[in-house]
Amino acid sequence: MRKLYFLLPGTDGKFACGGLWAELKTVNLVQQVCSADVVTYRQREKGKLFIDDLLQEKNLNDVIFVINWGFDVAQLVPKLKQYNVVYHAHSAGYSFSLPASIPIVTVSRYTMGYWGEKSPNSLIYYLPNQISDGFQNVGLERDIDVLVQARKSSEYLIKELIPALKKRCNVFVVDSYIEDLPALFNRAKVYLYDSAEYWAQQYVSEGFGLQPMEALACGCQVFSSVNGGLSDYLDPGFNCYKIAGYSQEYDVQRILKVVNSPEAFNLDEEFFAEYRSENILKRLQVILDELNVFFDHKIHQPSNIKSLTKIRMTKLFVQRIYGKLRKKYFKLK
């Protein structure tokens, strides 16, 4: 089995974000199946490989480069053209396209559907992000009525809904890194998450949205947007509530009803099984086996399925219209 090199711009400072942590979790899981390392390409870091140094090696046929940082993919693909490359797709909506020679591993079914349309000749797989085993309902007393993380939150949430809720209940706003997030979720009755506005401004979509799932696993009721990858697992009315529902007053009414409810909330662990490490490791083994078979095949066989380019789409459109006109005016079957 080929070794995997996960390409990251860096692993600290300005690159620290949810996407980075999710990718590093994936690296740790892959290392339980085969050999894998992190390779940086924007900044050199002590103890880590740097891409320009690595590409000096002559024989890299027995490795796979995993690219994932959406804003950098368009620049990395030409640089790695002669090598085995996999795109680990978190968010969707970037303007780049990919050749059929690059398989795509997606973190949500939403993202898988996006690439299924955009890159129909590529191999595509689904590997959900991992929810750590530490996110469990441990039965603590919930002294926080409403919890919200400021980052990615909508203007409506920060400037309108939260001030209105603060007049009626205990609201805790997180605006910095939290070391023990499971403990915080276990203290909260309700968690608010509204990222639709944030991702719309980035011109890409929410690839997965891990925090609402982590909150649910800790027995916290969730009011959330359902944009992008959140639609994979959030089901308003059944395991969550849709936030920003019609009016601020209606949001406040519904949130306070949950806050004041004496009933405990707890989803069955079976709901989270798809996102726990045991299932992901099983899927990883299948996906990595298939990727290695594919890259063996690619050595001897070039791609020969016509791509859906703009030119070909135009040609197919003209052919379809011409066929309809012939059938209508010339009565041809």
Side-chain angles (χ1 to χ4, degrees):
M1 186 173 287
R2 291 172 171 84
K3 181 172 184 174
L4 272 65
Y5 285 123
F6 284 79
L7 269 59
L8 291 167
T11 63
D12 56 21
K14 62 182 179 181
F15 302 113
C17 65
L20 174 64
W21 310 140
E23 195 67 7
L24 291 176
K25 278 186 178 181
T26 302
V27 175
N28 291 333
L29 288 167
V30 170
Q31 287 173 338
Q32 298 180 46
V33 179
C34 67
S35 180
D37 275 323
V38 168
V39 177
T40 62
Y41 57 85
R42 281 206 210 169
Q43 66 182 23
R44 292 181 180 271
E45 296 183 11
K46 186 177 180 180
K48 292 185 177 63
L49 295 166
F50 188 68
I51 186 62
D52 291 345
D53 300 335
L54 184 60
L55 294 182
Q56 295 301 313
E57 296 185 15
K58 292 183 179 180
N59 186 11
L60 291 171
N61 291 327
D62 59 345
V63 304
I64 297 172
F65 291 100
V66 182
I67 56 178
N68 62 85
W69 213 263
F71 293 107
D72 295 344
V73 168
Q75 290 75 42
L76 288 171
V77 167
K79 187 171 186 175
L80 301 171
K81 185 177 181 180
Q82 68 188 87
Y83 306 107
N84 301 320
V85 179
V86 170
Y87 175 42
H88 190 200
H90 291 263
S91 302
Y94 297 100
S95 58
F96 63 83
S97 58
L98 294 172
S101 59
I102 298 181
I104 303 166
V105 179
T106 68
V107 301
S108 66
R109 289 186 175 86
Y110 167 83
T111 308
M112 181 169 63
Y114 169 85
W115 281 107
E117 291 184 4
K118 191 172 179 63
S119 195
N121 300 338
S122 297
L123 294 179
I124 300 176
Y125 301 94
Y126 166 59
L127 184 73
N129 278 332
Q130 177 201 16
I131 174 172
S132 301
D133 293 338
F135 289 93
Q136 302 276 354
N137 186 352
V138 296
L140 295 178
E141 181 180 350
R142 298 186 182 271
D143 60 324
I144 298 173
D145 290 329
V146 177
L147 174 67
V148 60
Q149 288 174 296
R151 185 174 181 271
K152 295 184 183 178
S153 291
S154 66
E155 186 177 57
Y156 160 71
L157 197 64
I158 298 298
K159 295 186 177 181
E160 297 180 39
L161 183 58
I162 290 175
L165 286 169
K166 282 183 174 180
K167 298 175 182 177
R168 309 281 296 276
C169 63
N170 177 26
V171 179
F172 185 71
V173 180
V174 176
D175 56 7
S176 60
Y177 176 73
I178 298 295
E179 187 71 34
D180 192 352
L181 195 54
L184 192 59
F185 281 142
N186 268 279
R187 291 175 54 199
K189 297 176 183 177
V190 170
Y191 176 63
L192 306 184
Y193 187 83
D194 188 9
S195 71
E197 182 179 277
Y198 171 86
W199 287 109
Q201 292 178 77
Q202 305 300 312
Y203 299 102
V204 293
S205 65
E206 177 85 79
F208 187 86
L210 198 57
Q211 288 79 20
M213 178 174 287
E214 292 171 339
L216 289 172
C218 293
C220 186
Q221 294 266 38
V222 169
F223 282 74
S224 175
S225 53
V226 289
N227 49 293
L230 293 166
S231 62
D232 265 33
Y233 64 88
L234 289 180
D235 190 2
F238 296 90
N239 64 20
C240 74
Y241 299 85
K242 169 67 173 63
I243 202 168
Y246 183 69
S247 71
Q248 178 200 121
E249 289 77 11
Y250 192 52
D251 274 353
V252 170
Q253 175 185 319
R254 292 184 298 145
I255 292 168
L256 290 178
K257 182 179 179 181
V258 173
V259 166
N260 295 319
S261 173
E263 295 182 14
F265 172 76
N266 201 35
L267 288 177
D268 194 288
E269 179 59 27
E270 185 179 346
F271 175 81
F272 304 100
E274 180 177 344
Y275 309 96
R276 298 293 191 186
S277 57
E278 182 180 356
N279 177 62
I280 295 174
L281 285 169
K282 290 178 181 177
R283 297 185 70 86
L284 258 176
Q285 185 66 64
V286 173
I287 292 170
L288 291 174
D289 285 344
E290 290 213 3
L291 289 175
N292 277 276
V293 171
F294 168 70
F295 287 125
D296 287 340
H297 174 83
K298 189 169 76 76
I299 296 172
H300 309 288
Q301 175 66 59
S303 177
N304 56 17
I305 301 174
K306 294 179 181 178
S307 299
L308 281 177
T309 60
K310 290 183 179 180
I311 294 175
R312 184 157 179 259
M313 289 289 287
T314 301
K315 181 181 178 181
L316 290 172
F317 174 76
V318 171
Q319 288 177 347
R320 182 166 60 86
I321 297 300
Y322 178 64
K324 287 184 176 182
L325 292 174
R326 287 187 68 197
K327 186 174 181 180
K328 180 176 182 179
Y329 293 106
F330 296 100
K331 309 297 182 183
L332 295 178
K333 296 182 179 180

